[in-house]
Each structure stands twice: as C-alpha cells, then as structure tokens.
C-alpha cells in the first residue's frame, strides 16, 4: 500500500477519537515525508537530532516536529528554535538544558516525561520515584520555559499482548498519579504517548493519546548498519 493509503487506513481506525498520529519518519527520505504531508499529515517524529534538523530545513514550516528518541544535553540547542514536542525527557539535567535553550529562543518548549515501563532494563526513562523527585525539586519549580504535557513510554518488545497490555495499563496509572499529585489544575498535562506499529491498537484501548507509527506508514526500515 502507498503511504497515502496507509495514513488514511490508520485515520479510519482511530476514528473520531482524539488520538494523535505521529508519523515516525526516521531513516525515511524527504520524498516519503512529502507524500505523507500531501496526504494531510502534519505531525512527524524523529529520533536523531541531526536528521531532524536537516529535514526541518528542507520541508514545509507548518510541520510540527517531535523528538522521540534519547536526547543528549549538548544537542538541545539545535532543535530548541523549532521543536514542537520532546517525548523523551529522562533527567532533570536534560530538562534544565531544554529550559535554558527555550529561554534563549524566547519560547516555551512542550515536553513529556519518558517513564520506564518495560520489564527489561531499558537504557532510558525515569522510574516513577525519579519522576516524582524531579517534579518535587526546587530546580523544576523554577523552570519557566518548559511545559510538561504528559508522559511517554515504550513497551517491552514481545509477542505476548498480555505483557504489553499490563505495561500500557501501568503507564496510564502513572499518568493519573502524576496528574492528581502535580498537575491537577494544569490542563496542558493530558498526553500519554504510547503505541508503535506493533502495539498501537492495544495502546489506544489502554488510553493512549498519541501513537508513534513508523513502519505501518512508511514500510519497514533498513536495519541500521553498525
Ligand atoms: C522508531 C520508533 C517508533 C516507531 O516504530 P515503528 O515500530 O516503526 O512504528 C516509535 N517510537 C519510538 C520511540 C521509536 O524510536
């Protein structure tokens, strides 16, 4: 199927729920993104800063770019002028740098806290205790140029939907706990970014508000050469 057909099929599945579709275009060429753009897609996700910046420069400026992969503090400055949402905030130090660069650009940058939900020791993400510590810190309270809009999680890569369902359920519980404790009066804190090509239907059932789909839209990616 074409990219256009894939997008319209997914849109149909989402129906009139408010779930947002992030088209994950990492490793894909400008032509593929342009096809998705012409099909009406405006939210795109990338995981590498350099690739994201290159694509931002070449493509229409009404695209909203999301950073979904791990972000190193020394690279925040390259995306701070234009990034729409950073899904992958996993430390106070990173958040402080985002705040600093956002201030330099005279803007407020929307962020999600990436939470660990997978069974295996994943490399990135905060556990719930670390997220609470971050949100309680004086440093966090002083940040004026970031806005926390919710949470993001990546489920264990498994064929067992029971495990995936449990992890998505857990992320929903974490979201609600943080909402009640820290963001009760903050309408901006409303996003749960969960669900990729293999598990997005389950994610929607479990309350996802943002699904991040790559291969379902653009086809399989070439494995990265090492
Ligand atoms: C690559 C990636 C996706 C999309 O993966 P697909 O399985 O191709 O849909 C979603 N989220 C993150 C964080 C990714 O790195």
């Amino acid at each position: 199927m074409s990219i256009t057909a894939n997008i319209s099929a997914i849109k149909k599945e989402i129906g009139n729920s408010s779930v947002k579709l992030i088209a994950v275009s990492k490793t894909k060429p400008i032509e593929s993104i342009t096809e998705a753009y012409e099909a009406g897609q405006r939210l795109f996700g990338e995981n590498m800063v350099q690739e994201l910046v290159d694509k931002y420069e070449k493509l229409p400026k009404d695209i909203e770019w999301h950073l979904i992969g791990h972000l190193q503090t020394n690279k925040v400055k390259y995306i701070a002028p234009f990034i729409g949402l950073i899904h992958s905030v996993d430390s106070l130090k990173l958040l402080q740098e985002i705040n600093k660069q956002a201030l330099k650009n005279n803007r407020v940058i929307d962020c999600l806290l990436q939470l660990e939900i997978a069974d295996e020791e994943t490399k990135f993400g905060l556990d719930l205790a670390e997220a609470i510590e971050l949100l309680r810190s004086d440093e966090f309270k002083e940040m004026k140029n970031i806005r926390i809009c919710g949470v993001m999680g990546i489920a264990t890569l498994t064929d067992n939907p029971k495990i995936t369902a449990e992890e998505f359920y857990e992320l929903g519980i974490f979201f609600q706990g943080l909402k009640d404790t820290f963001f009760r009066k903050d309408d901006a804190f409303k996003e749960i970014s969960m669900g990729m090509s293999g598990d997005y239907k389950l994610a929607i059932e479990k309350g996802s508000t943002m699904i991040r789909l790559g291969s379902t839209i653009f086809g399989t990616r070439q494995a990265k050469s090492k």
Side-chain angles (χ1 to χ4, degrees), residues 24 26 47 68-69 152 154 196-198 212-216 221:
V24 176
K26 62 188 185 196
N47 66 342
I68 60 170
M152 181 271 233
I154 303 173
M196 301 168 42
S197 289
R212 310 178 306 266
L213 302 190
S215 37
T216 307
R221 284 178 300 275

Side-chain angles (χ1 to χ4, degrees), residues 73-88:
T73 45
N74 61 355
K75 297 203 171 148
V76 174
K77 57 179 176 287
Y78 301 116
I79 60 169
F82 68 89
I83 196 74
L85 179 65
I86 299 174
H87 290 234
S88 43

